[in-house]
Amino acid sequence: MPAKPREHTRTYFLAKLAEELEQRGLTATLRSYPPALRISDPDTILLAETVDCVPLSEGWFYRWSWGELVGLADDPALAAERIVHVLAARH
């Protein structure tokens, strides 16, 4: 069964975020169904978070596992900075 167009969009945005996170030294693994990123610091494997991507009336947004929005999917660099900041604060 082929993926729905919405899933292709979600996966596209998550891949863009993964690239940004990896450039900042984090590990980002794409889970295929439902699409989401498992993000961790390679130096602190036990510290990990999951981020997904959801469509809202204002556009696509990255979202933390607890439901709070990280940022617009159109700006993966800014979302990556926010994620790095949160993971660093937990470190």
Side-chain angles (χ1 to χ4, degrees), residues 4-89:
K4 299 175 188 173
R6 178 172 278 186
E7 297 307 314
H8 289 297
T9 303
R10 187 182 325 269
T11 302
Y12 169 79
F13 283 130
L14 289 169
K16 291 299 205 181
L17 180 59
E19 288 174 19
E20 292 289 339
L21 291 166
E22 289 170 353
Q23 289 175 8
R24 291 161 175 77
L26 296 178
T27 301
T29 306
L30 180 63
R31 181 182 70 199
S32 62
Y33 190 79
L37 286 180
R38 180 168 168 29
I39 303 161
S40 63
D41 182 336
D43 297 329
T44 314
I45 296 297
L46 294 177
L47 181 60
E49 183 53 58
T50 301
V51 172
D52 66 0
C53 190
V54 294
L56 299 175
S57 60
E58 302 87 17
W60 284 84
F61 287 83
Y62 297 115
R63 180 178 66 178
W64 294 106
S65 62
W66 60 86
E68 184 178 329
L69 298 179
V70 176
L72 272 168
D74 287 335
D75 194 351
L78 180 59
E81 286 300 321
R82 289 179 177 160
I83 292 166
V84 167
H85 178 75
V86 168
L87 289 181

